[in-house]
Amino acid sequence: MSAPAFAQASLDLKECLGLPDTSARLACYDRLAGREAMVTLPASPAAVPGTPEAVPVSQAATPATTQQSESSFMSRYWELDQADKRGTFNYTSYRPNFFMPLHSMASVNRNPSSPTRAKASNLPRYQNGEAKIQVSLRSKVWENALLPGADLWVAYTQQSMWQLWNRDQSAPFRSTDYQPEVIYVVPTPASWQSLPLGWKWRMTQAGIVHQSNGQPDPLSRSWNRVYAQAGLERRDLMFNLRLEHRLKTDNSVGDDNPDIQDYMKRAELQMMWTPGRSTAAVAWRPSFSGKGSVQLDYSYPVFRDRPDGLRWYAQLFQGYGETLLDYNFKQTSLSLGLTIFKF
C-alpha cells in the first residue's frame, strides 16, 4: 500500500512510572528502551517524529486506556485516538527513507516501451548494479475532518535509481518517480473494532495518488488512481488490504501507459511484523496471470542501544512495477543499505 513504514513513538517516562502494575511498568520500560522503536512498511512508512503527548497518570492507570495506548501502533502512526493527536502541519516521515548503495538487478531494462510510446533509443549503457534512494514525507492538513477523529493528510514520495557505480557513463540517474497523494484516514469506532482471533479493525483510508517520472517521450510514464484501504492490528502484527482503481485519461493517445494496471494489478496485501528490534514486512500485489509483484523489507538497528536511530535496511523485489519505467518489465532485485533519516 502503499510499499506504507509504521513507527512506534516512544512512551514518556512519566507514563511508565505511573503504571501501578509491575509487569505493565516493566513492559513500558522495554518499549521505551526501543522494542517498538520502528515499524517498516513498503506501502507506507518510516518513523513517526517526536513523542505524542503523554497520557495523564490518572488515565495511564486505567486498564482500558493503558491497553489501547500500549498496543496500537497504527494509532500512534496515524493519530487515530484522541490521545495521539498532534495537530496539523507537523511534517513527518511516510514511506521508508533510505539510501541503498547496493541495488542488484537480475537484468536491466535497456529498451523501455509501452503500447503508445516507441522504444527508447540512444540510452546510456546501464549496468545491473546501481543505488536505490527514497525520500518520503507527509503532513496532516485537517484534523477531525468531517467525521469524528478523521484526518486529512498530504504526502510526497520520490524514488530514484542511480547508476552510482557506472563510471563509464558518468553515473546517470536511470529513473526517478514522483508521487504526491492525498489521504483521508477514518478511525474505526471502538464498538466496531473487535474481530476474531484477537484482531482489531483499526482504520479505513481513502486516497488519490498521482505518479509520474517527469520524462519526455518516449520515456514518459504516468497514472492517477484512487484507493480504499482497511487496516487491521493484532499486537505486533499489522495487516492492510488495499483496493485501487485507475483514473483513465481522455484518450489512449495521451496515455503514456494504457495497460499499466494489467501489470500493477488492482489490489495490494501488506503484512507487517515487529519482533523486538527487527522489523519485517511483505507487500503482495496478487495476480493469477503471473504478473503483479511481491516485495520483502527488513530492518535492524545499526546500534542495538539506539533502535530509533540508524538502521540496516534490506529489500527483495520480484515482479512488475519496481519503477514506472519498468512497469511492464519483469524484475528481480536485491537492495542493501541504510535508512537515512526519520522524524
Side-chain angles (χ1 to χ4, degrees):
M1 33 165 258
S2 63
F6 281 112
Q8 167 69 20
S10 300
L11 293 177
D12 190 277
L13 180 60
K14 292 182 180 179
E15 183 179 350
C16 296
L17 293 172
L19 295 174
D21 182 73
T22 303
S23 59
R25 188 164 60 252
L26 290 174
C28 184
Y29 291 147
D30 287 342
R31 279 190 306 280
L32 192 62
R35 180 188 178 277
E36 300 171 350
M38 182 177 178
V39 183
T40 54
L41 181 152
S44 313
V48 173
T51 302
E53 293 182 6
V55 179
V57 173
S58 59
Q59 294 183 21
T62 304
T65 304
T66 301
Q67 181 180 10
Q68 186 180 53
S69 176
E70 289 181 358
S71 64
S72 184
F73 298 99
M74 286 188 178
S75 178
R76 290 183 175 83
Y77 185 77
W78 286 111
E79 304 180 25
L80 302 177
D81 300 326
Q82 287 299 320
D84 294 323
K85 299 290 186 185
R86 296 194 300 276
T88 56
F89 300 104
N90 298 309
Y91 288 92
T92 180
S93 304
Y94 179 33
R95 301 175 186 273
N97 293 281
F98 53 67
F99 173 63
M100 294 191 282
L102 302 178
H103 176 249
S104 178
M105 300 172 285
S107 58
V108 64
N109 188 2
R110 303 184 189 281
N111 300 110
S113 65
S114 82
T116 58
R117 301 291 179 261
K119 286 187 177 181
S121 58
N122 300 320
L123 293 177
R125 293 188 301 277
Y126 292 133
Q127 297 178 349
N128 289 18
E130 58 186 9
K132 186 174 184 178
I133 307 167
Q134 182 166 285
V135 175
S136 187
L137 307 172
R138 67 193 170 108
S139 180
K140 186 197 300 183
V141 296
W142 186 5
E143 191 166 271
N144 296 314
L146 302 180
L147 295 174
D151 298 321
L152 185 68
W153 297 76
V154 295
Y156 175 77
T157 302
Q158 182 171 315
Q159 177 184 276
S160 296
M161 303 299 191
W162 180 18
Q163 291 271 297
L164 175 62
W165 313 110
N166 193 346
R167 298 303 182 186
D168 292 341
Q169 301 296 309
S170 298
F173 278 79
R174 182 174 66 87
S175 173
T176 297
D177 293 336
Y178 310 91
Q179 182 170 299
E181 59 186 289
V182 178
I183 312 160
Y184 185 56
V185 183
V186 182
T188 304
S191 59
W192 295 4
Q193 289 184 16
S194 296
L195 297 173
L197 303 177
W199 285 92
K200 288 187 176 182
W201 173 24
R202 291 294 289 136
M203 66 174 181
T204 302
Q205 292 185 356
I208 182 168
V209 186
H210 168 77
Q211 189 178 21
S212 61
N213 65 355
Q215 295 273 21
D217 288 338
L219 297 178
S220 176
R221 303 288 185 269
S222 65
W223 64 322
N224 300 311
R225 61 197 188 275
V226 294
Y227 67 85
Q229 177 173 308
L232 311 181
E233 188 175 40
R234 183 179 181 271
R235 293 194 290 274
D236 58 1
L237 289 174
M238 283 159 283
F239 176 78
N240 289 311
L241 170 61
R242 176 166 170 159
L243 301 177
E244 298 180 343
H245 174 71
R246 188 189 181 192
L247 302 176
K248 295 185 177 180
T249 57
D250 293 336
N251 58 77
S252 59
V253 177
D255 192 338
D256 293 330
N257 29 251
D259 58 343
I260 190 170
Q261 207 153 34
D262 294 337
Y263 293 89
M264 301 287 285
K265 312 316 294 182
R266 295 163 175 80
E268 183 174 79
L269 306 176
Q270 301 174 351
M271 179 69 78
M272 285 80 45
W273 183 38
T274 58
R277 290 179 173 84
S278 302
T279 68
V282 57
W284 177 40
R285 301 184 76 93
S287 171
F288 297 106
S289 64
K291 297 177 182 177
S293 65
V294 61
Q295 179 174 299
L296 304 176
D297 290 72
Y298 177 81
S299 79
Y300 193 83
V302 174
F303 307 104
R304 286 179 55 87
D305 59 339
R306 294 166 56 191
D308 206 30
L310 199 65
R311 299 177 70 90
W312 301 110
Y313 202 91
Q315 187 180 87
L316 177 64
F317 179 89
Q318 202 279 330
Y320 293 86
E322 185 176 21
T323 71
L324 267 184
L325 198 61
D326 297 336
Y327 82 90
N328 55 1
F329 181 83
K330 193 170 186 179
Q331 183 64 271
T332 299
S333 68
L334 174 64
S335 306
L336 300 172
L338 296 164
T339 56
I340 50 178
F341 65 84
K342 71 182 190 64
F343 56 86

